[in-house]
């Protein structure tokens, strides 16, 4: 097993990368394309996108850390759980988006965040 310190930097970068990727999608969709990113619960701002991605990333990291301590196949189990959570999370944008463009854009935010986390968070540092 790799020491926790060895994994900290790549995992911090993965969480920050997910937030940056989500913010980039938000900027393209909202600022450049002019899509009003609103849901039935309110406006989706840059700050809310960053906070949501950071929370998702830190929760994923926490779950992965627990799985690494209690299972023999933490990466595979974590990937399956992350994929299920992604699918479940899409219910929000698809049911609460105010327009078709907003629904698609909000779903894209979820997919991009999850994709970065699923690919980068469980990676091991190579020596």
């Amino acid at each position: 097993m790799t020491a926790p310190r060895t994994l900290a930097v790549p995992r911090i970068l993965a969480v920050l990368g997910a937030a940056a990727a989500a913010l980039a999608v938000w900027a393209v969709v909202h600022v450049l394309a002019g899509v009003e990113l609103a849901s039935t619960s309110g406006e989706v701002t840059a700050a809310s996108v960053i906070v949501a991605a950071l929370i998702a990333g830190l929760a994923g990291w926490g779950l992965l850390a627990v799985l690494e301590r209690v299972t023999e196949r933490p990466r595979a189990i974590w990937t399956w759980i992350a994929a299920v959570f992604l699918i479940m999370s899409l219910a929000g944008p698809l049911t609460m988006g105010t327009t078709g463009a907003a629904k698609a854009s909000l779903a894209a935010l979820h997919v991009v965040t999850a994709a970065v986390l699923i690919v980068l968070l469980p990676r091991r540092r190579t020596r």
Side-chain angles (χ1 to χ4, degrees):
M1 177 160 38
T2 306
R5 267 192 203 147
T6 306
L7 295 173
V9 172
R11 290 188 175 167
I12 289 168
L13 293 175
V15 171
L16 293 175
L23 182 61
V25 170
W26 178 88
V28 167
V29 168
H30 182 66
V31 177
L32 296 178
V35 175
E36 280 301 315
L37 289 179
S39 70
T40 56
S41 61
E43 181 182 1
V44 177
T45 64
S48 66
V49 167
I50 293 168
V51 169
L54 290 174
I55 289 171
L58 293 172
W61 183 356
L63 175 61
L64 181 57
V66 169
L67 290 171
E68 286 173 336
R69 294 179 197 274
V70 300
T71 69
E72 291 184 21
R73 297 184 36 150
R75 293 168 73 185
I77 294 168
W78 184 87
T79 300
W80 277 101
I81 292 171
V84 168
F85 269 84
L86 168 60
I87 292 166
M88 291 186 334
S89 82
L90 291 174
L94 298 178
T95 60
M96 295 184 2
T98 54
T99 66
K103 289 178 182 187
S105 299
L106 293 169
L109 290 170
H110 284 239
V111 170
V112 164
T113 301
V116 171
L117 291 172
I118 288 170
V119 170
L120 296 181
L121 203 54
R123 289 182 56 142
R124 297 272 186 200
R125 178 183 248 174
T126 56
R127 294 182 182 193

